[in-house]
């Protein structure tokens, strides 16, 4: 998710910058390019002269161009920051690959109120980190019926990254966060006429989906909601303790494991392959879809849905 900045400024005299040897592995990932990659890709494309860029292979140029375009959709770093204590930091999965992090915002009512839609992000600025990280808020937006004084997050602990530093902190430690949430979130108004909603999540992408579910998306008895939730195995599946509550809210959960143990009797493989086998699209005119997770999954699911007649305007993401 995070990578060291690439530097192309040393290209000269027909010599290839040594960092180019790492370019395919850093930018050809099937996952969505990280913020540092896209920001530096944009900068490189703007600053590099044609004489230098022609030394790159066409495949590398396509990757950089795609990353630069993706950067336009990413949230911008805030200019105002707030300081708040951590209320809770604990493993969210059996293998500790994901952590539950709760932020006490009782002293920041304006920040709490800025959370208006499931799928929005909060920027974190951690000590010695070269860039801020943007974490999707897992808790639902505040409502008149439920008063909240905190934000919850599901954080993927990647060694050597700011996310790992956050997971290594303790309750009571202070962190700097943006003074307001960022991003538009899931624009559910675009699918208010849907009678069937398909939700697809992989890995930590379940975090904003939790916010969506606990905001009440499945509680209208006239809507059928199916959640396809894919991870490697049960040890990496977060929020299992919430499944019963989600089902009581009208959500049908279809867990999908790509590397299950021998005792697993549920769906196996990848979310996109399981969905293709099940072929859930019956009437695209009355359907909506919400996607959050690995780039390959979102792209393949989108292709299948569009091929089945679903308008792209009815396929929601939070970026």
């Amino acid at each position: 998710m995070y990578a060291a900045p690439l530097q192309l400024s040393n290209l000269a005299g027909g010599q290839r910058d040594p960092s180019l040897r790492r370019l395919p592995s850093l930018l050809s990932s099937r996952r969505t390019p990280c913020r540092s990659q896209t920001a530096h890709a944009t900068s490189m494309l703007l600053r590099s002269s044609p004489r230098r860029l022609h030394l790159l292979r066409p495949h590398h140029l396509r990757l950089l161009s795609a990353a630069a375009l993706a950067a336009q959709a990413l949230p911008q770093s805030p200019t105002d920051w707030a300081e708040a204590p951590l209320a809770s930091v604990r493993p969210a999965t059996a293998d500790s690959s994901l952590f539950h992090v709760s932020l006490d915002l009782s002293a920041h009512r304006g920040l709490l109120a800025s959370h208006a839609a499931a799928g929005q992000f909060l920027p974190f600025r951690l000590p010695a980190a070269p860039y801020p990280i943007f974490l999707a808020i897992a808790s639902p937006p505040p409502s008149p019926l439920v008063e909240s004084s905190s934000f919850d997050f599901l954080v993927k602990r990647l060694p050597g990254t700011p996310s790992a530093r956050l997971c290594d902190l303790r309750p009571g430690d202070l962190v700097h966060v943006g003074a307001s949430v960022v991003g538009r979130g899931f624009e559910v108004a675009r699918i208010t006429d849907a009678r069937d909603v398909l939700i697809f999540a992989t890995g930590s992408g379940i975090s904003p989906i939790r916010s969506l579910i606990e905001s009440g998306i499945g509680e209208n008895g006239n809507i059928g909601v199916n959640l396809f939730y894919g991870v490697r195995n049960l040890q990496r599946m977060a929020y299992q303790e919430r499944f019963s509550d989600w089902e009581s809210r009208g959500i049908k959960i279809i867990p999908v494991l790509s590397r299950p143990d021998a005792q697993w009797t549920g769906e196996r493989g990848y979310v996109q392959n399981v969905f293709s086998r099940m072929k859930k699209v019956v009437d695209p005119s009355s359907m909506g879809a919400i996607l959050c997770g690995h780039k390959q999954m979102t792209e393949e699911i989108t292709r299948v849905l569009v091929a089945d007649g679903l308008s792209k305007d009815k396929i929601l993401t939070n970026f």
Side-chain angles (χ1 to χ4, degrees), residues 65-312:
S65 298
L69 290 173
Q72 299 175 10
L74 289 173
Q76 298 299 308
S77 297
T79 56
D80 295 324
W81 295 87
E83 191 175 59
L86 295 173
S88 174
V89 182
R90 55 180 172 80
T93 55
D95 68 352
S96 298
S97 60
L98 296 172
F99 270 68
H100 170 81
V101 174
S102 183
L103 186 65
D104 180 1
L105 296 174
S106 55
H108 299 281
R109 293 294 171 182
L111 174 51
L112 285 166
S114 70
H115 186 203
Q120 291 181 300
F121 298 84
L122 185 67
F124 281 71
R125 188 175 64 189
L126 299 169
Y131 46 83
I133 57 175
F134 292 76
L135 298 178
I137 303 170
S139 45
S143 70
L145 300 178
V146 180
E147 184 177 355
S148 176
S149 60
S150 64
F151 283 168
D152 292 342
F153 303 89
L154 186 66
V155 184
K156 188 172 184 178
R157 192 186 188 285
L158 296 171
T161 68
S163 65
R165 296 178 190 177
L166 178 59
C167 296
D168 290 339
L169 296 178
R170 297 179 179 181
D173 287 343
L174 296 175
V175 294
H176 286 90
V177 297
S180 176
V181 304
V182 296
R184 66 177 185 267
F186 297 112
E187 297 178 315
V188 293
R190 286 160 43 188
I191 58 172
T192 52
D193 59 343
R195 294 194 298 273
D196 293 286
V197 175
L198 301 174
I199 302 176
F200 302 90
T202 54
S204 59
I206 195 65
S207 175
I209 299 302
R210 173 197 154 189
S211 179
L212 186 74
I213 292 171
E214 295 179 9
S215 297
I217 191 171
E219 295 177 19
N220 182 340
N222 297 322
I223 299 177
V225 181
N226 289 272
L227 167 62
F228 292 80
Y229 177 16
V231 295
R232 180 177 295 181
N233 51 48
L234 286 178
Q235 288 68 41
R236 293 199 173 196
M237 180 167 279
Y239 298 145
Q240 295 180 55
E241 74 281 1
R242 294 181 175 270
F243 285 1
S244 293
D245 176 65
W246 291 359
E247 290 171 343
S248 72
R249 294 170 180 262
I251 310 298
K252 180 180 179 181
I253 304 171
I254 302 145
V256 181
L257 305 185
S258 61
R259 299 181 188 177
D261 59 27
Q263 286 72 44
W264 177 248
T265 59
E267 297 292 343
R268 296 169 175 257
Y270 295 101
V271 163
Q272 57 269 36
N273 304 126
V274 170
F275 173 69
S276 295
R277 290 198 301 267
M278 297 178 72
K279 273 297 184 181
K280 283 285 185 178
V281 175
V282 178
D283 181 5
S285 66
S286 64
M287 183 166 286
I290 301 169
L291 284 62
C292 192
H294 295 164
K295 181 181 179 183
Q296 181 185 10
M297 181 275 287
T298 60
E299 290 179 344
E300 292 187 14
I301 290 291
T302 297
R303 281 197 294 269
V304 170
L305 292 174
V306 171
D308 283 345
L310 186 63
S311 167
K312 280 190 175 182

